[in-house]
Structures are given as C-alpha cells and as structure tokens.
Amino acid sequence: MTNPPNIAEQLCLLRENYAQQLPAKLAQLEGAFRRHDNVVELPQLRHLAHSLAGSGATFGYPALSIAARQLETIVDGALNDGRPLSLEESDSIARLIEALDRGARTPIAPSSVPALPPSTVPEAERKLIYLVEDDASLATDLMLQLGHFGYTVKIFETPKQLLETPVDPLLAVVLMDIVFPQGDLAGPEAIIQLSIAKQLRTPVIFFSFRNDLTARLAAARAGGAAYLVKPIDVGTLIGRLDDLISDLPPEPYRVLIVDDNGPLATHHAFTLQSAGISTDIVTDPMTILAHLDDFKPDLVLMDMYMPKCTGSELAAVIRQLDNYVLVPIVYLSTESDTDRRLIAMQLGADDFLTKPIMPEHLISAVSTRLRRYRVLRSHIEQDSLTGLLNHAATKDRLTTETARATRQQRVFCLAALDLDNFKNVNDTYGHLIGDSVLKNLAELLKRRLRRTDIVGRIGGEEFVVILPDTNAKQAFGLLNELREAFSLVHQRASRGLTFTTTFSCGIAQYQLGASANDVHLHADEALYRAKQAGRNQVTLADDDERQDSY
C-alpha cells in the first residue's frame, strides 16, 4: 500500500464513510438477531457484534463498542456451550441493540494521529565533506579516496578559510587536522569558534599525527565525534562516516495488517503510516501467503476472529514458514478472556492488543516490537566482519527475489564478485590487512548501491549483489563502475605501505521460469570466465550477452 498524500484527510474520509454505512450494519445485526432461533445464525451474529466492538470507538462511537462487546460476549457463551440463546439472553441482546442505536447517534471527536516530525533529511543525500588539511598531497589523496565511496570533498588549507566560508546545508561531516602553522591546537580552536557562533551543527572527525592526551582532550572539548591517528586508513574512516551520518533514511518498517474489516484495517494502516511505517492490508486471510512473499513484513498485526479461519490458526500457519519463524505476530482484537489469549499466544503470537486502541498506543506498541525484531534479525543475518548479509540470509533473499520476479514477471540481476589474488594479499600483508580489504569492498558496495539492492558476503572473498528491477545492461554499467572505483582505493598495509587490489564479477539476468539456483549458477559461470580472461573485469552470462551488445 502506498502512503496517501494527506493522512488526516484520508482518516476523516474513512470516518464519514463509516457513519454512512453504520445504519446498514446495525440493520444487518438486528436481522441476524431476529433469526437467532436458527443456531446457524449465531456465528454471523457474533461476527457482526465483534466487528462493531472493534471499530466503533476507533471511528468515534465508544458507546457502540461497549454495547457490541457485551452482545458478543453473550452470543459467544451460547456458542461455546453449543446451545441456542436463552430467553434471558435474548432480552439482554434486545436491550443492547437499543443501546447500539443510541450509541450510533452520538459520535465524539476523533483522536488525533501523532504527526511525524518535520523531516531533517534533504532531498539529496548529504555526502559533502569539508576537509581542513594543510598537506596538499594528503588532502588530494583523501579527496580521491572518499570520492570512490560516493562522497564529495571540499578542501580548506587553513582553519581560517573554514571560518570565513558559509556552511553548505548539504554538509555531512568536517574532517579537521589538529596541528597547523597557526598553532598546535588550531584545529580544535577553530571548531570551538564555529560552535560558539552556532554556525556548525554537523559532526567533526579530528585526525593528527599526534596521539597524546593533550591533543585528544582538545578534540573532545571541541565536541569531536571521533579521533583518527595518521596515516588514515580509508576503511576505518568510511566506517566512522557511516556511523555518524544519521540522516540517511533507514529502511521503513513493514507491517502486514490482517483483518476482514476493511475500513478498520485501513484506519490502522493510515495510523501506522503517519509514523513512517509501510503497510499492506489483507482482508481475506486465505490470500496471506502471497502477501507475505511480496511484502516481506517485519510484523504481522491481525484480528483474532475472521471468516474462514481464526487468527490463531493463521499464526500457526505463518510459524510453519522458515522465513517467518521469528517475525512478530501481534493480535489486535476485542478478545478479553485470559485463557483464550494464552492459548492464542501459545500458537505463535507475541503480543495481544485490545480493540479499540488509541492511535498513539498502536504506534508505540507496534514500534517497540519492530525495533526489537530488526535488532534480532540483524544479529542473525549479518556477516560479523563486513556487516553485510551472511551466506544463509543472502540465499534466502535470492529465493524471495526470484519468487517475486516469477509472480510479477519482473527482471532482476545477480552479480557474483570475487577479489582477485586475495590469497596473495593475506600471504604478503597478513590476515588482518586482508580483513581490512574485505571491509573496504563491503563499504564501497554499501555506499554506492541503492537501498533496494541486496548485498551479501557468501564466504571468504566472495560477495553477491542482487539488483531488483535491473537488466543486464544496467547491471554491467554499474558493476563496471564499482570495479574501477575499487581498483583505485588505496589499501593501507602495516608500516605505512599502501597497495591496490581488484575484483572480478559475473552477472546473470533472471530469465522467466529460472530458479534461484539457476541464476546463481549462471552468475558463477560468468565470474569464472572473467577470471579466466585475466581478472579485474565484469562478464555477462552467455544468455545475457546474446540479448544485446554491451
């Protein structure tokens, strides 16, 4: 589901539609009650009461929810005993139907949905760096190295030049030397001046040949976010930059809402979207498998009682799927019976929220679960050295992307990368330096690829990139550009030595009907051909080469 242009207007429209449909819903419930002597009608009566109990207060009719909940409880008791309604129960329901009619005539003002704070993220990603360094050769080298990772660097030879220059709104970080001809602590002193004048609101990374406490204290007092000792390892610097630049938007949380009450599900969707959470809605629980594959939710929010199957049954099915064993399942229902809640939780759910629910409470409860799940998933899926997806997670994402492309008849490409002569790097410089090379390649891929691209390390010096909605020609151009950029990155060895290294790459475009293993095999074959042809090059799979000339 795409986010609406104005959520407040959409919620107001939903409220108006609910009010218009309410008389028909009440008439339907009253009709089911008139036929209550037919036991077959009781489940329908309970379902109608359940729907009103969960939705009434949400759309401004709290009295309606209270009466409907009481009615649902009475009918539920008869159903559990396998008997028709007693005379006393019928009289109670008749009075509750009158209360429903009264409650439908007295709406209250809706609860406001918490608005998102104004975004501080500029439309273009902030990748501008101010580098203040009087060593021209070092400054030029750093500018070129950072450029390979997608940053733009503006060089200042002295702190005075920085003080006299208006701060660009796209500035991400200041890299400031400590020592200048103007003073042994001229760098930190200039940053303090800028801070006092409130002209600098971006992080500052200090660097210097000095590694003494006096220099480090000066950097800390100036509010330095990090301190690096020369010679600067570009991989370490890129890692610090990634940690500090917080205005790169995180991947939005994804919540799948399963509820046969369409208007109520839409209301909850808009509420979550107001907090920046992406949503998808399932009103027919029998279609949930396709939604799981296409949407890949971080959390499932669903009703307990729906036609065709219950929420508990659906939770048990979801837990049968390997990819969703850990995904939080949260019930949102009018159910208040403790025993039933416990049974439902035992079948695979993680939490239970009671309808109706205030918008801010829904956002808070769901957000807490989402954050915990993302942290847990990152620990399970991440490669410990590079922070990329590990082998198992990469394989799973490839399977998912292949299934999506098959259903939607979309295209994607798989790129298999392998560092050239990596054994020589380990033998010559040691495994610690080899690990640094792997991390530098990982950082380059993370910085230069799209957020929708999937990057994993599948073992040793082998990496995989999944490029959704990308054909072979586009993938070839992108990976060849990355190959050239990486070949220019200065890898820093011990004793101040630097060296460069390269990678080879094979690319396969998904062909309709192919399996995930087929795509991976074709990419590996193309990679092997790139190695055989002399390394440091990108090669397309045979089928992709015949499609067009590149």
Side-chain angles (χ1 to χ4, degrees), residues 142-418:
L142 274 176
M143 178 181 69
L144 293 174
Q145 296 299 307
L146 291 172
H148 301 321
F149 290 86
Y151 288 102
T152 300
V153 178
K154 183 174 182 179
I155 298 175
F156 300 84
E157 294 183 1
T158 66
K160 183 180 178 182
Q161 290 180 353
L162 176 65
L163 291 170
E164 294 173 347
T165 302
V167 175
D168 193 306
L170 294 182
L171 179 65
V173 173
V174 175
L175 298 179
M176 171 67 79
D177 199 351
I178 296 284
V179 180
F180 290 90
Q182 293 81 11
D184 288 348
L185 299 175
E189 291 168 357
I191 295 300
I192 289 174
Q193 291 184 50
L194 284 173
S195 299
I196 292 174
K198 297 184 179 179
Q199 296 178 5
L200 187 66
R201 293 180 174 85
T202 53
V204 179
I205 297 178
F206 288 101
F207 60 94
S208 178
F209 283 114
R210 295 182 60 175
N211 194 22
D212 56 277
L213 182 59
T214 300
R216 287 182 173 274
L217 278 174
R221 289 165 179 164
Y227 191 103
L228 302 177
V229 179
K230 295 180 180 178
I232 297 176
D233 177 72
V234 67
T236 301
L237 176 57
I238 292 297
R240 295 298 176 89
L241 290 172
D242 284 345
D243 291 340
L244 291 174
I245 299 176
S246 59
D247 63 351
L248 296 179
E251 180 185 359
Y253 293 125
R254 297 182 300 276
V255 173
L256 182 65
I257 301 173
V258 187
D259 196 324
D260 63 296
N261 187 327
L264 184 59
T266 303
H267 188 283
H268 293 324
F270 288 156
T271 298
L272 295 176
Q273 287 172 18
S274 73
I277 298 170
S278 295
T279 61
D280 187 22
I281 293 175
V282 177
T283 54
D284 180 359
M286 305 307 289
T287 66
I288 191 171
L289 294 181
H291 286 266
L292 289 172
D293 289 339
D294 289 337
F295 189 59
K296 297 185 287 293
D298 298 310
L299 182 143
V300 178
L301 180 69
M302 65 179 171
D303 194 10
M304 271 282 292
Y305 301 108
M306 297 174 287
K308 301 178 184 177
C309 70
T310 67
S312 299
E313 293 170 336
L314 210 55
V317 170
I318 293 173
R319 291 298 185 231
Q320 294 171 1
L321 307 174
D322 291 340
N323 294 346
Y324 295 97
V325 171
L326 298 176
V327 171
I329 298 175
V330 177
Y331 291 125
L332 183 57
S333 178
T334 58
E335 180 60 68
S336 59
D337 185 271
T338 302
D339 291 336
R340 291 185 185 178
R341 285 191 172 202
L342 290 175
I343 292 172
M345 299 279 281
Q346 290 170 1
L347 292 174
D350 298 275
D351 205 350
F352 215 114
L353 304 178
T354 302
K355 293 179 182 178
I357 186 169
M358 298 291 288
E360 59 270 25
H361 294 166
L362 177 63
I363 291 171
S364 176
V366 168
S367 297
T368 299
R369 282 288 181 184
L370 285 167
R371 285 191 294 268
R372 290 175 182 171
Y373 171 67
R374 280 280 178 92
V375 171
L376 176 62
R377 191 181 73 181
S378 68
H379 286 307
I380 294 173
E381 294 186 341
Q382 277 187 356
D383 171 60
S384 59
L385 177 64
T386 63
L388 302 178
L389 293 176
N390 58 27
H391 183 109
T394 304
K395 183 179 178 181
D396 174 63
R397 299 297 175 86
L398 177 58
T399 300
T400 300
E401 187 61 31
T402 303
R404 185 185 75 91
T406 301
R407 287 191 306 275
Q408 301 178 5
Q409 297 190 3
R410 307 290 287 271
V411 67
F412 76 91
C413 279
L414 177 69
L417 287 69
D418 190 273

